[in-house]
Amino acid sequence: MIYKGSCHCGQVAFEVEGELTQVMDCNCSICTRKGALMWFVPRDKLRLLTPEDKLSTYTFNTHTIKHRFCPTCGIHPFGEGTDPQGNRMAAINVRCLEGVKLASLPVKHFDGRSR
């Protein structure tokens, strides 16, 4: 299935393809503050509909994850990084997707705070 997503103001728009079967709630310092529910997909399944220069990037700690956000409205629609095998991944904030019923999705809790 293809989902459409965006930041609040629409400056950052994207499509993502895959089967959304569960989301992850991470308790690390940034995910807790953002309130994000994440869905991980291969990076090539995420297609930007707006130019990349419309995005801002925040990194911290090991600087391995690019937390992407809109410089206008501040919303974080996705992040980019690699999985343990070195595959490029995108972490989609499902709260930024259109038509998703969050209450119907199982939530996996991840202890990112202890890493």
Side-chain angles (χ1 to χ4, degrees), residues 9 41 61 69 74 86-87 100-101:
C9 72
V41 298
N61 195 13
F69 67 97
N87 301 305
V100 173
K101 296 180 181 176

Side-chain angles (χ1 to χ4, degrees), residues 58-77:
Y58 176 68
T59 61
F60 68 101
N61 195 13
T62 62
H63 300 274
T64 56
I65 300 172
K66 294 179 182 176
H67 299 270
R68 308 290 273 192
F69 67 97
C70 174
T72 300
C73 68
I75 298 298
H76 291 242

Side-chain angles (χ1 to χ4, degrees), residues 32-99:
T32 298
R33 285 167 174 82
K34 287 191 298 190
L37 291 174
M38 307 308 284
W39 170 38
F40 292 87
V41 298
R43 177 57 182 88
D44 63 356
K45 298 298 182 183
L46 170 66
R47 185 169 71 94
L48 288 177
L49 300 176
T50 52
E52 183 147 353
D53 65 0
K54 298 291 184 187
L55 290 164
S56 287
T57 303
Y58 176 68
T59 61
F60 68 101
N61 195 13
T62 62
H63 300 274
T64 56
I65 300 172
K66 294 179 182 176
H67 299 270
R68 308 290 273 192
F69 67 97
C70 174
T72 300
C73 68
I75 298 298
H76 291 242
F78 64 92
E80 298 175 276
T82 56
D83 68 11
Q85 292 76 38
N87 301 305
R88 292 181 63 218
M89 299 296 289
I92 309 300
N93 182 354
V94 297
R95 294 182 186 277
C96 293
L97 298 177
E98 297 173 7

